[in-house]
Amino acid sequence: AQSVTQPDIHITVSEGASLELRCNYSYGATPYLFWYVQSPGQGLQLLLKYFSGDTLVQGIKGFEAEFKRSQSSFNLRKPSVHWSDAAEYFCAVGAQRGSYIPTFGRGTSLIVHP
Amino acid sequence: DTAVSQTPKYLVTQMGNDKSIKCEQNLGHDTMYWYKQDSKKFLKIMFSYNNKELIINETVPNRFSPKSPDKAHLNLHINSLELGDSAVYFCASSLGTGAQPQHFGDGTRLSIL
């Protein structure tokens, strides 16, 4: 069965610093991978997705993620964090063929210090 | 124009009551979902409908009953509410099944007194 691990429950960075949020997945084939962001009181919003092709994926709000098959990872990065980036971030893997169930990680809470 | 809208946004009620949450999407998607998010932000899928057909029915008490009158709507009815039902419930939709990106509503915060 597919699974997603986000090893960091909380990450604290200073405004203007770079950011990397970790995501590891377990899946039997090439996965469909997603990063979502959840601002307080809101639903999840898609930041970016990887289906195939270029392993470096650009998303909205200046985020990017890199798919590394050898490490089963799909880490999210941003070169310079803004205070408005403080939110909960979820990594997700799309459903397996023949199954409809997407799998979400437990989330990483990003705290941004001024 | 809200893509995925849920009503109500807040729901405060007493144990034992029955309540419903409504969800509508105007994206033309054919798949809709209900998720439960607990106080630790863990997101658990409950149900999914594809073209009005139930395709995901996770381990959820049978007090929870989804209903999809058409592809654009997915409602959730909860009978005999319990304290443990307190959570934020999210509706989502996608074009195709769970391999596709999902669009989420803003959630319904359910509080049981």
Side-chain angles (χ1 to χ4, degrees):
Chain A
Q2 64 209 45
S3 66
V4 177
T5 301
Q6 293 181 247
D8 304 304
I9 298 175
H10 302 284
I11 290 280
T12 301
V13 298
S14 298
E15 191 168 16
S18 63
L19 171 70
E20 183 170 31
L21 301 182
R22 296 183 291 166
C23 173
N24 293 98
Y25 67 89
S26 172
Y27 189 73
T30 300
Y32 295 170
L33 294 163
F34 310 91
W35 273 101
Y36 292 86
V37 60
Q38 182 182 22
S39 297
Q42 296 185 15
L44 281 69
Q45 179 186 19
L46 181 70
L47 281 176
L48 48 79
K49 60 182 186 282
Y50 172 78
F51 283 0
S52 65
D54 193 345
T55 56
L56 186 61
V57 180
Q58 301 297 320
I60 63 171
K61 304 186 181 188
F63 285 92
E64 66 177 27
E66 187 171 12
F67 170 61
K68 292 186 177 180
R69 184 189 302 276
S70 61
Q71 299 176 19
S72 297
S73 69
F74 188 56
N75 294 348
L76 182 70
R77 301 194 295 248
K78 186 169 185 178
S80 177
V81 170
H82 188 262
W83 64 266
S84 60
D85 293 324
E88 193 82 16
Y89 291 80
F90 292 90
C91 182
V93 59
Q96 280 183 317
R97 193 185 300 274
S99 167
Y100 300 99
I101 304 177
T103 303
F104 284 80
R106 297 192 70 97
T108 297
S109 179
L110 175 63
I111 302 164
V112 180
H113 282 315
Chain B
D1 290 341
T2 304
V4 181
S5 59
Q6 298 178 227
T7 54
K9 189 171 179 65
Y10 299 97
L11 191 50
V12 181
T13 189
Q14 292 188 330
M15 269 198 312
N17 284 350
D18 303 338
K19 291 293 179 185
S20 293
I21 307 172
K22 295 186 176 182
C23 179
E24 176 182 5
Q25 55 93 6
N26 62 6
L27 297 167
H29 289 168
D30 57 1
T31 305
M32 297 185 72
Y33 310 81
W34 278 113
Y35 287 89
K36 179 181 180 181
Q37 187 175 48
D38 63 22
S39 59
K40 295 185 178 180
K41 302 289 186 180
F42 178 59
L43 203 62
K44 177 184 175 183
I45 192 165
M46 301 173 69
F47 302 104
S48 178
Y49 275 75
N50 175 255
N51 287 315
K52 300 197 301 175
E53 179 185 349
L54 181 65
I55 57 172
I56 297 174
N57 186 357
E58 286 295 273
T59 308
V60 175
N62 57 15
R63 299 182 293 104
F64 290 79
S65 53
K67 188 170 185 179
S68 180
D70 55 58
K71 288 197 300 183
H73 295 84
L74 180 61
N75 303 323
L76 183 65
H77 187 75
I78 315 170
N79 290 326
S80 302
L81 281 157
E82 300 177 357
L83 286 175
D85 298 333
S86 294
V88 181
Y89 292 84
F90 285 100
C91 177
S93 71
S94 65
L95 188 62
T97 61
Q100 301 302 318
Q102 297 175 42
H103 295 252
F104 284 78
D106 284 340
T108 296
R109 182 173 294 277
L110 175 62
S111 299
I112 309 302
L113 303 177

